[in-house]
Amino acid sequence: MKKLLLLVSLLVLGAACATQPSGNSNLTANMNKAGEMKSTAGPSEADLIAKEKSAWDAFNKKDAEAFGKMVTADYVEVLDRGVMDKAQSIAGMKDFEITDVSFSDWKMTPIDKDAALLTYKVTVKGKYKGEDLPPGPYYEASAYVNRNGEWLAIYYQETESKKMEPMPAPAKKESSSPATAPAKPPETGSDPIANEKIVWDLFRAKNWDGFASLLVPEFMEVEPDGVYDKSGSVKALQGMPMDMSAFELSDWKALPFDDDAKLVTYTVMMKGPKPEKDYHATIWVKRDGKWLGLYHQGTPAAAAAPAKPDEKKM
């Protein structure tokens, strides 16, 4: 929903990633609460935090079996390397050596009776493929769903916190026709991909009221430069001097949480002499018969590693 900058991010699996930091002595105790949380009632914030920390521990120990039991079969994660499935997440364990992690700013947001969202921040110490990881902080989000009485992670996303540089203003275009009132946005439905495309059409038309009408009151957006509520998100978009026609959207994927909540993930590419790529995700929920946006997060793609010189030519 907002244009992001390229920055190097960390594969920290929230609802699906794991490490037991040496500086957190209470993590083991929390894991004891997280084992088999089977209940028809929704989990408490403490329950989800315990499960999240338990998943971090399993990931850091490279315990694929334990980690696999904590996530759904259709689990996805959105990282600076793209959108990955469960198998890719487990395969990535071997590349990480995380020695310490610090958690803060935990918040649980109910999605519906069978789904909940957990957001928080982390700072880390460790290595990825032998290279030091940026310490962060990182914005983390994990969604949990009720599967046959057991609450499992289905979605995770991470974005490194970083101040964004101002966007270049688009070239001004002369218009001979008078301004017209924004059109009423099309009706949203159960297809989250179609809903997200409606939102981008509203961006291109600068129909900010129409965009706001498609968000729940408690809407939250996470970007590298911070966390926004509904009014903050709309205001930030209004103040950004961007030409939405310069963006290409691709790699659309939809993931149902249940009948009343669905996730859409996609890639945003900004065209131009310095193309930039971001990975986006939005949670759509059904409220009083209408599908509305509940949560959005953007993660800039990691910068490509510099090419190594051809040793044979040296």
Side-chain angles (χ1 to χ4, degrees):
M1 293 182 176
K2 286 177 18 112
K3 186 68 195 70
L4 314 176
L5 301 173
L6 289 172
L7 45 104
V8 180
S9 182
L10 151 74
L11 171 58
V12 214
L13 297 174
C17 310
T19 173
Q20 181 173 351
S22 58
N24 287 328
S25 60
N26 64 339
L27 181 55
T28 301
N30 285 330
M31 288 189 293
N32 293 331
K33 303 177 183 177
E36 296 292 324
M37 186 168 55
K38 294 185 177 181
S39 172
T40 55
S44 67
E45 182 174 277
D47 290 331
L48 291 189
I49 291 173
K51 289 187 73 69
E52 194 78 353
K53 290 182 176 180
S54 181
W56 275 76
D57 183 72
F59 186 81
N60 190 50
K61 290 179 178 178
K62 299 175 175 52
D63 190 341
E65 182 178 1
F67 171 73
K69 292 179 180 179
M70 299 177 188
V71 303
T72 64
D74 52 356
Y75 166 84
V76 299
E77 60 185 24
V78 183
L79 308 170
D80 66 345
R81 295 186 292 117
V83 180
M84 285 170 276
D85 60 19
K86 180 177 180 177
Q88 291 170 316
S89 174
I90 292 175
M93 291 178 180
K94 67 182 186 300
D95 297 323
F96 286 87
E97 295 295 337
I98 301 175
T99 58
D100 189 62
V101 62
S102 177
F103 303 93
S104 64
D105 300 344
W106 295 99
K107 179 182 178 181
M108 186 183 83
T109 301
I111 297 175
D112 59 30
K113 66 181 182 63
D114 289 317
L117 179 70
L118 187 67
T119 55
Y120 57 103
K121 291 175 70 175
V122 298
T123 56
V124 298
K125 292 180 181 179
K127 295 181 180 295
Y128 173 66
K129 292 186 176 181
E131 299 293 331
D132 288 338
L133 290 165
Y138 297 87
Y139 296 108
E140 315 287 340
S142 295
Y144 284 83
V145 292
N146 184 352
R147 292 288 188 265
N148 300 316
E150 184 175 5
W151 285 80
L152 303 172
I154 190 171
Y155 153 73
Y156 167 81
Q157 187 162 356
E158 169 203 270
T159 301
E160 185 181 6
S161 173
K162 189 173 184 179
K163 185 177 181 180
M164 296 171 61
E165 295 179 6
M167 292 285 296
K172 294 183 178 181
K173 298 180 181 180
E174 294 184 2
S175 175
S176 58
S177 59
T180 58
K184 181 181 178 181
E187 290 294 327
T188 53
S190 60
D191 181 356
I193 295 176
N195 294 344
E196 198 74 7
K197 289 180 178 180
I198 289 173
V199 167
W200 278 86
D201 285 341
L202 294 171
F203 289 168
R204 295 184 182 98
K206 301 186 183 300
N207 187 349
W208 311 121
D209 289 340
F211 168 56
S213 72
L214 299 184
L215 307 177
V216 299
E218 69 271 27
F219 173 80
M220 177 168 41
E221 178 178 359
V222 173
E223 301 291 353
D225 61 348
V227 179
Y228 297 82
D229 60 12
K230 178 177 178 176
S231 62
S233 179
V234 175
K235 183 178 180 180
L237 282 164
Q238 287 177 303
M240 294 186 71
M242 65 170 65
D243 180 4
M244 290 296 182
S245 65
F247 292 83
E248 290 183 346
L249 313 179
S250 62
D251 303 325
W252 296 94
K253 295 179 183 178
L255 174 63
F257 288 178
D258 52 46
D259 290 341
D260 297 323
K262 298 183 180 182
L263 177 78
V264 57
T265 61
Y266 57 102
T267 299
V268 177
M269 176 69 77
M270 181 178 180
K271 298 179 292 183
K274 294 183 179 180
E276 298 177 4
K277 180 188 291 186
D278 304 317
Y279 302 109
H280 290 244
T282 303
I283 297 174
W284 289 85
V285 295
K286 190 177 182 180
R287 298 284 173 82
D288 297 324
K290 184 174 181 179
W291 284 86
L292 302 170
L294 172 76
Y295 180 81
H296 179 85
Q297 186 163 341
T299 299
K308 295 182 179 180
D310 189 342
E311 296 181 357
K312 294 181 181 181
K313 296 181 179 180
M314 295 180 65

